[in-house]
């Protein structure tokens, strides 16, 4: 019996995401995500169970894992890094992509792609929280908001300049701004602009230009994508489910494995 | 794979400290040095034992940070921490400590070190042109005078030639071992190459060093090569010094499936640069040979690119990885030009890793390194 199903699991620091594809047509059959608990294996199992919910029971499939917890998922046939997965996922959604910008919970990355979609080079910011989703989350929390509400606030008007390059100092700076009576909307604008500037700084170090894909949870916010486009000075393409781009890339690799096995 | 020559070498070098202390008891002097720009041939010629004092361990860093800023390069902090803790037997044994004015961090650390140790500052120029050579010649003459005065010896030209001869044979023997990495597949891992160069550098008796290295090279050199699956990407590691204790990146590279076939830094392959054969003036020969070392403290540093190109070709590497210690400005800035050269002139993939001696970022590094290796496959 040929393997019909391919699954990608992206065991991220904040969320574990999974995508189920038809390994032949590559049609998206299901997707699921759950907060990553302390145990990536248990989170991955829980997400898989959720993924199969519409199918009665789990079917034979090939599985590829990615993300921080990728090595802790023993039932995966293979694990590859999120760099490769984000690239594969982005190219699948937008074949003309030449640059991928991913802002994840724990790190952010810029990936430069060659023609045909192969990864040419990449840079990661994993040393400092200031360019990551975690930073936005902590500022939102400071204002008593959810990330989505926070991003929505940033949709217009003036922006406060956030100049600190470190998440901890930026928080202090923001507390100061609030004390001076700055509006939350202006702060939200400032925060998103500062992240977008950082990403632009990383992207400028990589060769080549072309269509830019924005992935990761923050990409769900149109305001955020708009800010990024402004900083980069080029249009930014956002996949339908940007937070699943890594899992999608892993699922595509799983589909390739399934094809190999089927052949 | 286990090699009896390597096992014997390990057993012998486990006793390096004891051997050095015995030599010292027998009246030999010890000269510590922090940089390979200091020609160890001069030290050998005055009858003393040259030892490297560059810190490669994370353990001493916390102590160093009670004095030095945290943002400093870990090599400087580690070295200084050993001095504060008085925990390095080689530093403790040093009758004289030679300090080259290489980078700013080291220079200023040496001022503090001078409070505890007999420091001699060797002023290294930052260029490698004709004027710099004149200047460096003068510095080495002064250094020679300092050695003669401190150890009450006269360093004759004959003694210098003898030391140069020992050094040439040591360099050749080490090169034979490190060149085993040219084979496909390399019979030694990058960690083993590093370990051998590192341990050998602490063997106080040079003739023993040489014969040990020779026997490793001949045993492994004569062995039947393993089948070349070609699966492990061959990596040239370049950049800052590494040693046992600061080998994290080599370890992760190899755990991730790469084969580090050549380590182009002053702990490894830079040590084998042959001394040209010439019989004129031994000191002038050492002046030219040492100043040409391609380290990022030089500006500009043209020999670095030549060396990387040559090693990349000779070791038929698939990619270049440039290691930078956090806080090392010279190597960090130079990485930009090196990336450009490696990617565009050599057409090879390039990865820069900036890190320190701590284990805290191992998982993040693993992602970068694995992603890089995925590009290669
Ligand atoms: S990296 Fe350069 S300055 Fe530092 S010890 Fe090596 S040769 Fe000397
Ligand atoms: S690695 Fe760089 S900063 Fe550290 S001692 Fe060497 S040259 Fe100086």
């Amino acid at each position: 019996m040929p393997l019909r199903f391919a699954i990608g699991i992206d065991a991220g620091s904040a969320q574990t995401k999974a995508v189920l594809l038809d390994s032949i047509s590559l049609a998206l059959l299901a997707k699921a995500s759950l907060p990553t608990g302390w145990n990536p294996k248990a989170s991955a199992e829980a997400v898989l169970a959720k993924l199969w919910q519409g199918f009665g029971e789990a079917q034979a499939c090939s599985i590829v894992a990615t993300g921080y917890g990728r090595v802790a998922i023993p039932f995966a046939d293979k694990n590859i890094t999120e760099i490769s997965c984000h690239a594969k996922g982005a190219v699948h959604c937008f074949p003309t992509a030449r640059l991928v910008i991913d802002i994840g919970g724990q790190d952010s990355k810029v990936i430069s792609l060659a023609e045909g979609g192969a990864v040419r080079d990449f840079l990661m910011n994993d040393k400092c929280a200031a360019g990551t989703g975690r930073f936005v989350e902590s500022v939102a929390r400071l204002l008593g908001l959810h990330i989505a509400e926070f991003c929505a606030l940033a949709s217009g008007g003036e922006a406060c300049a956030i100049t600190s390059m470190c998440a901890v100092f930026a928080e202090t700076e923001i507390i100061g701004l609030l004390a001076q009576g700055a509006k939350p909307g202006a702060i939200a604008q400032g925060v998103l602009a500062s992240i977008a500037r950082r990403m632009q700084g990383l992207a400028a170090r990589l060769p080549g230009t072309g269509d830019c894909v924005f992935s990761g949870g923050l990409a769900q916010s149109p305001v955020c994508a708009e800010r990024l486009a402004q900083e980069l000075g080029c249009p930014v393409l956002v996949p339908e489910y940007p937070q699943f781009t890594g899992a999608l890339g892993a699922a595509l690799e799983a589909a390739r494995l399934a094809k190999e096995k089927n052949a | 794979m286990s090699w009896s020559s390597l096992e014997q070498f390990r057993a012998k070098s486990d006793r390096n400290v004891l051997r050095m202390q015995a030599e010292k008891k027998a009246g030999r002097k010890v000269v510590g040095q922090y940089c390979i720009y200091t020609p160890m041939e001069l030290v050998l010629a005055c009858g003393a034992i040259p030892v490297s004092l560059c810190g490669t361990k994370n353990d001493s860093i916390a102590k160093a940070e009670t004095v030095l800023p945290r943002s400093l390069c870990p090599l400087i902090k580690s070295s200084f921490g050993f001095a504060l803790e008085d925990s390095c037997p080689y530093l403790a044994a040093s009758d004289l400590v030679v300090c080259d004015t290489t980078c700013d961090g080291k220079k200023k650390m040496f001022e503090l070190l001078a409070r505890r140790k007999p420091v001699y500052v060797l002023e290294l120029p930052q260029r490698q042109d004709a004027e710099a050579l004149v200047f460096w010649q003068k510095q080495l003459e002064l250094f020679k005078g300092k050695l003669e005065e401190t150890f009450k010896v006269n360093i004759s030209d004959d003694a210098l030639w003898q030391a140069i001869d020992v050094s040439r044979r040591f360099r050749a023997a080490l090169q034979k071992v490190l060149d085993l990495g040219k084979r496909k597949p390399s019979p030694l891992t990058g960690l083993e190459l590093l370990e051998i160069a590192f341990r050998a550098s602490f063997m106080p008796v040079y003739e023993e060093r040489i014969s040990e290295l020779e026997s490793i090279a001949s045993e492994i050199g004569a062995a039947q090569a393993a089948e070349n699956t070609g699966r492990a990407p061959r990596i040239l590691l370049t950049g800052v010094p590494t040693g046992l204790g600061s080998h994290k990146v080599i370890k992760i590279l190899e755990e991730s499936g790469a084969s580090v076939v050549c380590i182009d830094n002053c702990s490894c392959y830079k040590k084998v640069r042959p001394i040209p054969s010439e019989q004129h003036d031994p000191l002038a020969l050492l002046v030219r040979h040492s100043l040409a070392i391609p380290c990022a403290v030089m500006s500009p540093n043209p020999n670095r690119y030549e060396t990387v190109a040559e090693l990349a070709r000779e070791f038929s590497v698939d990619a270049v990885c440039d290691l930078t210690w956090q806080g090392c400005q010279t190597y960090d800035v130079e990485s930009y030009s090196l990336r450009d050269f490696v990617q565009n002139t050599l057409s090879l993939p390039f990865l820069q890793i900036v890190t320190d001696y701590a284990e805290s970022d191992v998982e993040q590094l693993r992602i970068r390194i694995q992603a890089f290796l995925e590009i290669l496959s």
Side-chain angles (χ1 to χ4, degrees), chain B residues 250-276:
Chain B
I250 302 174
K251 185 160 170 264
I252 301 174
L253 273 163
E254 298 199 318
E255 282 170 353
S256 306
S259 167
V260 176
V261 293
C262 180
I263 303 172
D264 163 43
N265 63 22
C266 59
S267 343
C268 245
Y269 213 84
K270 276 185 188 143
K271 283 208 174 112
V272 309
R273 287 176 55 257
I275 304 178

Side-chain angles (χ1 to χ4, degrees), chain B residues 34-37 54 102-103 106 239-241 266 293 295-297 331:
Chain B
Y34 282 99
C35 175
I36 59 166
Y37 280 105
C54 277
T102 52
C103 59
K106 259 191 177 174
V240 293
C266 59
I293 293 168
C295 175
V297 295
Y331 275 96

Side-chain angles (χ1 to χ4, degrees), chain B residues 146-350:
Chain B
K146 174 73 184 181
L147 288 170
E148 291 177 327
E149 178 201 309
T150 311
F151 300 125
K152 315 264 180 306
V153 290
N154 170 44
I155 303 179
S156 66
D157 274 9
D158 268 356
L160 269 179
W161 282 124
Q162 267 175 32
I164 290 174
D165 172 63
V166 172
S167 165
R168 277 191 179 125
R169 287 185 293 115
F170 161 64
R171 288 167 192 271
L174 181 60
Q175 177 163 12
K176 271 191 223 156
V177 174
L178 299 183
D179 278 353
L180 290 168
K182 289 182 181 169
R183 298 193 168 187
K184 293 178 176 179
S186 167
L188 291 168
T189 63
L191 270 183
E192 286 168 330
L193 295 172
L194 177 76
E195 184 200 352
I196 294 171
F198 186 75
R199 284 172 173 265
S201 74
F202 292 103
M203 286 187 133
V205 182
Y206 268 63
E207 293 303 336
E208 203 169 286
R209 266 194 208 191
I210 296 168
S211 68
E212 288 298 317
L213 291 170
E214 293 277 2
S215 67
I216 295 175
S218 67
E219 182 192 357
I220 303 181
Q224 183 82 38
E227 191 204 340
N228 185 22
T229 59
R231 240 175 270 136
R234 299 167 63 83
I235 306 288
L236 169 64
L237 183 82
T238 178
V240 293
T242 48
L244 293 185
S246 57
H247 58 276
K248 169 171 84 174
V249 169
I250 302 174
K251 185 160 170 264
I252 301 174
L253 273 163
E254 298 199 318
E255 282 170 353
S256 306
S259 167
V260 176
V261 293
C262 180
I263 303 172
D264 163 43
N265 63 22
C266 59
S267 343
C268 245
Y269 213 84
K270 276 185 188 143
K271 283 208 174 112
V272 309
R273 287 176 55 257
I275 304 178
S277 57
E278 170 182 325
Q279 285 142 17
H280 201 52
D281 172 353
L283 190 65
L285 178 60
L286 292 178
V287 168
R288 279 196 305 279
H289 176 254
S290 56
L291 193 63
I293 293 168
C295 175
V297 295
M298 291 295 158
S299 175
N301 183 22
N303 301 349
R304 172 108 188 263
Y305 306 92
E306 253 168 55
T307 308
V308 165
E310 195 181 304
L311 294 176
R313 193 177 56 243
E314 285 181 0
F315 285 81
S316 14
V317 303
D318 300 306
V320 176
C321 178
D322 187 27
L323 177 62
T324 306
W325 294 135
Q326 232 161 60
C328 174
Q329 296 162 326
T330 55
Y331 275 96
D332 204 1
V333 176
E334 194 164 282
S335 194
Y336 181 86
S337 320
L338 190 67
R339 170 190 296 271
D340 183 41
F341 176 75
V342 169
Q343 288 180 335
N344 299 322
T345 306
L346 304 183
S347 301
L348 287 174
F350 178 91

Side-chain angles (χ1 to χ4, degrees), chain A residues 2 8 35 38 43 66 71 79 93 98 109 113 119 123 134 144 151-152 177 196 206 209 223 225:
Chain A
W38 56 273
S43 311
T66 187
V71 285
N79 73 72
C93 300
R98 286 295 169 273
K109 39 196 167 285
L113 303 172
V119 175
L123 287 169
R134 186 143 300 178
C151 291
L177 287 169
L206 287 184
T209 43
V223 183

Side-chain angles (χ1 to χ4, degrees), chain A residues 67-68 70-71 79-84 106-107 119-127 205-207, chain B residues 326 332 336 339 343 349-352 354-355 361 363-372 374-375:
Chain A
Y68 276 83
R70 71 192 181 287
V71 285
N79 73 72
I80 50 178
T81 63
E82 43 273 48
I83 306 283
S84 300
Q106 174 149 318
D107 62 24
V119 175
R120 188 149 64 142
D121 205 350
F122 63 92
L123 287 169
M124 285 176 86
N125 157 36
D126 55 14
K127 287 262 139 79
R205 295 180 74 107
L206 287 184
Chain B
Q326 232 161 60
D332 204 1
Y336 181 86
R339 170 190 296 271
Q343 288 180 335
F350 178 91
L351 176 73
Q352 185 199 14
V354 184
T355 184
D361 61 352
E363 288 315 311
Q364 283 143 320
L365 291 182
R366 211 183 288 284
I367 293 179
R368 285 182 194 215
I369 286 171
Q370 286 177 0
F372 183 60
E374 284 167 7
I375 296 180

